[in-house]
Amino acid sequence: MISHLRISKARLAFILGALAMLGPFSIDTIFPAFAVMQGALQVDKVAMQQTISMYLLGYAGMSLFHGPLSDALGRKPVILTGILIFTFASVGCALSTTMPQILFFRVLQGLSAGVGLIVGRAIVRDALDGHDAQRLMSNISMIFGVAPAIAPIIGGWILGWSNWQAIFWFLSGFSALLLLVSALALPESHPVEKRLPMNVKFLANGYREIIGNRKFRLLAYAGTANFGALFLYITSAPAFVLDLLKLNEQQFGYFFVPTIAGMVIGAFFSGRAAGKISGVRLANIGFAFCGLSALFNIVYSGLSPTLHLPWAVLPTVLSAFGIALVFPILTIAILDMYPNQRGGASSMQAFVGLLSNALIAGVLSPMLSDSGLHLALGSAVFTAVAYGMWRWYLAHTDKAQLPEASQDAASLEPTDEM
């Protein structure tokens, strides 16, 4: 029980994990319906890909405000408002009959979908410190990780007995349930006396300070690029599953289930390692798995003229496992840089990542998803950039301030300014 919030850690992890599911559900559930929607709306594959990139642009733009709004108004009101808007946007998508209408409501979904993930990170650090925060973050990652695995399966099932609009009706029902659960069970973790003023000048100065911090940039870029290696495959799932693996709309699970299983196992291991393995060492292990994934992927895709299971998805499993080890370490370190602006720091971290994801979905995925080798090379570049940013961070950090094996992951954040 987290005494000052009057909620158990398990219940809080479940609620925050479920809230974080809105994002991947919004993307992955509609993947099986891409071909059907393409015909119904009379658009091409590139236009359908924009339903992802436009969603992500909305997600990225609003991510700058979710955190500061929660710093000023409290965590719970911001979360409830965001879920309400998402529910309305999902109904709008279900009732849309043209591509411009779909894109409008997809942007609106994006503007609201990130509220649970971004504000949820701030709630974790409001509630807990050190090892406990890393464990809770890892537990949330395990719950959150289920969403990308089951979302396309749910989408395929829905498409099997109904039309593509039913997928958006499902999303509206899911978000309405989350709204009810959050209203009844989610506590407020940010008391009035700790809230910050919400004004443009204060917000601009805060973000200028955050983005101007080299330590923040290096860690944010490392996390963004590391996840980008996997997100390239996630956003290319329709082409990867249907065109390259030659599977059907009901078989997206062959890609997503093992991949997300790797992420869930990695998150479990990260939680168990808290307080036993230093943050630096755990992150290095995670990057090693990502590097192994990239190497195997390039060799297999280069030597095999056609992709086959299970070898084609083994690299994404290894990558997801490594990402799950790295991500909690980097995120907690970033949040600890700004103990009085955790919402703002979480928002800026999300903004950097989402801009990258929008670029991947709208530009790189259409360019690279024509072959397995192109995807493998693109993914490997992201992994190399991520590791380079991480090593740069370590090189500019006083070694005496890095955590020892007995210290917690949050102590990764050094106190010197670069």
Side-chain angles (χ1 to χ4, degrees), residues 58-245:
Y59 197 129
M62 193 60 194
S63 69
L64 288 174
F65 299 95
H66 288 313
L69 282 171
S70 73
D71 286 338
L73 305 175
R75 314 299 188 204
K76 187 170 181 177
V78 174
I79 285 178
L80 295 180
T81 302
I83 301 173
L84 183 62
I85 294 173
F86 182 89
T87 303
F88 169 77
S90 299
V91 172
C93 287
L95 298 176
S96 296
T97 56
T98 66
M99 179 55 74
Q101 291 175 350
I102 284 282
L103 292 179
F104 172 78
F105 286 110
R106 287 292 284 172
V107 171
L108 195 58
Q109 277 188 321
L111 291 172
S112 54
V115 67
L117 179 62
I118 294 170
V119 180
R121 291 175 187 169
I123 292 176
V124 170
R125 288 308 274 128
D126 289 340
L128 297 168
D129 297 310
H131 307 314
D132 289 333
Q134 183 187 343
R135 292 189 186 98
L136 182 58
M137 193 80 74
S138 297
N139 290 337
I140 292 171
S141 296
M142 290 174 62
I143 298 169
F144 160 76
V146 173
I150 65 175
I153 298 175
I154 293 173
W157 287 344
I158 293 174
L159 198 62
W161 60 264
S162 187
N163 52 33
W164 62 265
Q165 291 92 338
I167 295 175
F168 290 105
W169 286 118
F170 162 77
L171 290 176
S172 63
F174 177 73
S175 58
L177 179 61
L178 280 181
L179 181 64
L180 178 63
V181 171
S182 300
L184 296 178
L186 184 67
E188 176 56 65
S189 65
H190 192 51
V192 175
E193 61 272 15
K194 291 187 177 181
R195 294 176 188 177
L196 302 174
M198 181 67 185
N199 61 69
V200 175
K201 183 177 180 180
F202 181 86
L203 185 60
N205 288 338
Y207 280 141
R208 188 179 300 113
E209 177 187 353
I210 292 172
I211 201 64
N213 185 341
R214 185 186 296 178
K215 292 179 293 186
F216 170 86
R217 292 199 306 272
L218 291 175
L219 291 177
Y221 294 162
T224 293
N226 201 36
F227 181 72
L230 179 61
F231 190 74
L232 177 61
Y233 276 87
I234 293 175
T235 194
S236 301
F240 183 68
V241 173
L242 301 177
D243 300 335
L244 299 181
L245 290 177

Side-chain angles (χ1 to χ4, degrees), residues 26-77:
S26 302
I27 296 176
D28 300 347
T29 312
I30 66 172
F31 279 155
F34 261 35
V36 175
M37 293 176 67
Q38 182 180 332
L41 299 171
Q42 298 181 342
V43 296
D44 58 19
K45 290 183 178 181
V46 175
M48 281 304 304
Q49 199 68 32
Q50 302 315 307
T51 62
I52 304 299
S53 59
M54 293 301 292
Y55 163 85
L56 289 171
L57 285 175
Y59 197 129
M62 193 60 194
S63 69
L64 288 174
F65 299 95
H66 288 313
L69 282 171
S70 73
D71 286 338
L73 305 175
R75 314 299 188 204
K76 187 170 181 177

